Amino acid sequence: MTAMTTGNSRADANRRRILDVALAELLRDPDASMDQIARAAGVVRRTVYGHFPSREALIGTLVDQAVQALAAAHAGGREGVDDPAEAVARSVLAVWEIADRYRLLVALAQRTVTMQGIRERLTPVRENSVRLLQQGLDEGVFTSPLPAPALAYVHEQILFALMEAVNDGLVPPSEAGRSAAVTVLTAAGVPAGRAADLVAKLAADI
């Protein structure tokens, strides 16, 4: 292994450690400074700035990681499921398992990344949601006065709003995933009773 390869490996390891520590520190203290993050990571402040030129850049990278995790969960939740309602419910339940970890980060990111920036990062997830919702509308599983692209935005905002509700203590974290799935299904026109029964069945299987 060359000195350059060793140096790159060390730099990559430092970067991963800084990101892991930064997420933990920011979830503990949303106002954590770069100095605090450097101390917690066991590196000097210059090392943190060597990887991330600003606190905003660091938070933006964390949000990118969160979005990648959410996209993977969304895809995994609906994989191999033919029924659009079940696919939506499974994807929301899967996403919430990840989102619950990142919900404080999303609230923090809104101060620095802006909601527009977060929406842009979520474009691939939204595009998959549109296809799934369109399938449900075409099959009559969903009914909505909104076209699928607009309904996907509504679903996205429901999830953001529920994250805020949990952050504000209005919804217990243990109930939020199921509540999110039922709310998203009813917003798509699934009868409330059927939505609740479907989500309860799926949640029991997870």
Side-chain angles (χ1 to χ4, degrees), residues 71 73-82 87-88 90-91 128-129 131-132:
H74 189 271
R78 67 178 189 279
E79 185 177 3
V81 180
D82 295 326
V88 166
R90 284 187 180 277
S91 66
N128 285 321
S129 292
R131 286 192 285 271
L132 185 54

Side-chain angles (χ1 to χ4, degrees), residues 119-137:
R119 287 195 188 101
E120 289 172 358
R121 286 167 164 83
L122 286 169
T123 297
V125 177
R126 190 183 310 114
E127 289 173 346
N128 285 321
S129 292
V130 170
R131 286 192 285 271
L132 185 54
L133 291 169
Q134 188 62 60
Q135 178 191 346
L137 290 168

